[in-house]
Every structure is written in structure tokens, then in C-alpha cells.
Amino acid sequence: TVIAQHPDVQESVVIASDDAQENQRLIAYVVTDKQDVTTQLLSYLQQKLPNYMLPSAFIVLDALPLTPNGKVDKRALLN
């Protein structure tokens, strides 16, 4: 929700994913027209969230993949 409040972000979704060592990490998928927005987003989020809630990776997309029902297709994001 905090990512979506950033003025350069059109849409976003954050997913908890397991890495190779079975550690949970947050990955933020962001739809924006701006280039190199990830450093701005990280500093913006550091002011508003505790460290454990900060995404470890940002992935910029043209659009979020949707299911036929119109919901975000989280399986497509993780592949």
C-alpha cells in the first residue's frame, strides 16, 4: 500500500518469496513510466516502513499480469 502512494507508481504488488536458502524475502513488482525509480522508491519506503518490511528487490513492469477474472496473476510474476 505504501508503494502505491508514491506519485510515480501506477500499480504495485508485493509478494513474499523463498530464496535458495528457504529464507523469506519481499519482492515488489511496480508499474511506472519513470526510469530508475527503484532508488527513489527504496529511500521513500525507508522513511515510512521498518526495515523488515522493505522489499529486497524491485521489478519494474509495463503492466501487471492478470488472470481471466481481472486479479493479479501471482503465479505469472514468480515465474
Side-chain angles (χ1 to χ4, degrees):
T1 302
V2 176
I3 293 173
Q5 293 171 357
H6 190 277
D8 294 331
V9 174
Q10 298 164 353
E11 293 181 280
S12 67
V13 65
V14 177
I15 297 178
S17 174
D18 290 334
D19 64 10
Q21 290 82 27
E22 305 268 334
N23 297 320
Q24 286 243 326
R25 64 187 193 131
L26 297 175
I27 302 173
Y29 297 89
V30 179
V31 177
T32 182
D33 292 331
K34 299 279 185 174
Q35 297 292 345
D36 300 327
V37 74
T38 55
T39 53
Q40 293 174 10
L41 276 176
L42 185 57
S43 63
Y44 175 79
L45 294 175
Q46 285 173 333
Q47 296 172 13
K48 300 190 176 280
L49 296 172
N51 283 343
Y52 72 90
M53 293 182 76
L54 295 173
S56 58
F58 292 90
I59 300 174
V60 178
L61 302 171
D62 293 330
L64 294 176
L66 301 177
T67 65
N69 302 4
K71 295 180 180 180
V72 175
D73 187 352
K74 294 180 181 176
R75 286 189 204 148
L77 289 173
L78 293 175
N79 292 333

